[in-house]
Amino acid sequence: TADDRQRFEAYLAKKLSLIDVPNNRSESVTTIKRHFFHLLLAASWIMTLAACSKDDDPIVAYRQDLAEIATDHNGRVASLILDNADTLAVTNKEAITQTLVPDTAYRVRAVFLKEAQGAEVVSLQTVFCMAPLAEKPAEMKADAITAEAIWRSGRYLNLLVSFKTSGAEKHKIMFVEDGITTEANGAKMLHIKLTHDRRNDGRTYTTRSYISCLLSGYNDILMPQRDSVSIAVPTGNGFSIRHFAY
């Protein structure tokens, strides 16, 4: 404990005061004592850590993924669907207290423990998700937003974004289809634009959010291993564009 460590440090200091190093200046003696004290203290911490750990206590393999959840007719979480299409029955559905719409699918960030019988869900956080708008809105705001990470998984294109806010206004984010182009070899590219409306919010601090764009609506148009998708993110000085295989 902290009290034990404090008493041990006092004990070491008392013992070190008795140490004398002949034929050296007092500064050298002080330096040697200080280093010796730090070595003993480090050794005591290592022994404490070793005493507090048990070889037979395994580390619990919790996972954190963007995934889908499906609710049953009572609005309880029935299953967790990973982006690789694995469907896991939720083994602790009674412990999940969020109020959810019955017979509905949600995009979430889930922390869970995968088990033989399914998954024990530790926490759920809903994630903004939408399919690209086929028709462009009359106004498409392009306020700056930072894409810290973009990746493709399963039916989704996912982004971890950050932006400045004061918390006073809720920002509006949308995915908008910006056309499909076809190359001479027949390969197609879906162009998506991310819009961001700050709504005159302040810039007090930075917040981060996961967002997902649902792409499965293009399965009849685009082919895996041939076609691709691009995402344009507003930077405040134009757009940053990334490309991914469909």
Side-chain angles (χ1 to χ4, degrees), residues 8 12 16 31-47:
F8 185 70
L12 287 180
L16 285 171
T31 301
I32 292 172
K33 288 181 178 181
R34 184 171 63 248
H35 289 318
F36 184 56
F37 174 73
H38 289 163
L39 286 172
L40 287 177
L41 190 57
S44 71
W45 289 342
I46 292 171
M47 288 186 290

Side-chain angles (χ1 to χ4, degrees), residues 113-149:
L113 177 63
K114 193 173 182 180
E115 303 172 325
Q117 306 92 334
E120 177 188 345
V121 175
V122 178
S123 70
L124 294 172
Q125 181 180 2
T126 56
V127 170
F128 172 79
C129 177
M130 64 174 290
L133 294 176
E135 295 186 9
K136 295 180 181 179
E139 185 179 26
M140 293 174 54
K141 298 297 289 288
D143 293 329
I145 190 169
T146 300
E148 297 186 13

Side-chain angles (χ1 to χ4, degrees), residues 6-25:
Q6 189 173 14
R7 286 195 293 270
F8 185 70
E9 290 176 2
Y11 170 78
L12 287 180
K14 182 178 180 181
K15 293 299 182 181
L16 285 171
S17 67
L18 303 177
I19 296 175
D20 190 14
V21 181
N23 302 321
N24 284 281
R25 294 181 302 170

Side-chain angles (χ1 to χ4, degrees), residues 175-245:
F175 294 105
V176 179
E177 180 185 319
D178 200 25
I180 298 176
T181 56
T182 305
E183 301 293 332
N185 61 0
K188 297 179 180 179
M189 178 177 290
L190 167 65
H191 302 271
I192 298 173
K193 185 169 286 187
L194 178 66
T195 69
H196 175 217
D197 184 356
R198 297 186 50 82
R199 294 179 170 175
N200 298 316
D201 189 20
R203 301 173 183 270
T204 308
Y205 61 93
T206 298
T207 187
R208 305 167 80 218
S209 297
Y210 289 94
I211 59 177
S212 292
C213 180
L214 180 62
L215 299 176
S216 56
Y218 296 91
N219 286 350
D220 293 337
I221 303 172
L222 304 178
M223 292 177 55
Q225 300 181 355
R226 185 197 68 176
D227 299 330
S228 55
V229 55
S230 73
I231 177 77
V233 179
T235 63
N237 188 26
F239 287 84
S240 172
I241 301 176
R242 296 279 303 275
H243 300 87
F244 298 87

Side-chain angles (χ1 to χ4, degrees), residues 42-205:
S44 71
W45 289 342
I46 292 171
M47 288 186 290
T48 301
L49 290 172
C52 293
S53 64
K54 297 181 180 179
D55 293 338
D56 56 353
D57 288 344
I59 297 175
V60 180
Y62 287 110
R63 287 178 54 177
Q64 177 178 269
D65 285 354
L66 294 187
E68 298 175 14
I69 56 170
T71 60
D72 60 18
H73 63 282
N74 293 316
R76 294 188 302 180
V77 177
S79 58
L80 179 70
I81 304 99
L82 306 183
D83 282 354
N84 64 0
D86 283 353
T87 300
L88 308 175
V90 175
T91 59
N92 62 328
K93 62 178 68 177
E94 293 80 8
I96 302 173
T97 59
Q98 283 103 322
T99 301
L100 302 172
V101 178
D103 300 315
T104 304
Y106 290 85
R107 185 66 168 166
V108 297
R109 181 172 60 148
V111 178
F112 62 97
L113 177 63
K114 193 173 182 180
E115 303 172 325
Q117 306 92 334
E120 177 188 345
V121 175
V122 178
S123 70
L124 294 172
Q125 181 180 2
T126 56
V127 170
F128 172 79
C129 177
M130 64 174 290
L133 294 176
E135 295 186 9
K136 295 180 181 179
E139 185 179 26
M140 293 174 54
K141 298 297 289 288
D143 293 329
I145 190 169
T146 300
E148 297 186 13
I150 309 176
W151 70 100
R152 177 94 158 83
S153 62
R155 307 190 300 157
Y156 295 95
L157 186 64
N158 307 293
L159 297 89
L160 173 58
V161 298
S162 60
F163 50 87
K164 292 286 187 179
T165 181
S166 68
E169 296 290 340
K170 190 173 183 179
H171 293 214
K172 185 177 182 180
I173 291 174
M174 294 188 299
F175 294 105
V176 179
E177 180 185 319
D178 200 25
I180 298 176
T181 56
T182 305
E183 301 293 332
N185 61 0
K188 297 179 180 179
M189 178 177 290
L190 167 65
H191 302 271
I192 298 173
K193 185 169 286 187
L194 178 66
T195 69
H196 175 217
D197 184 356
R198 297 186 50 82
R199 294 179 170 175
N200 298 316
D201 189 20
R203 301 173 183 270
T204 308
Y205 61 93

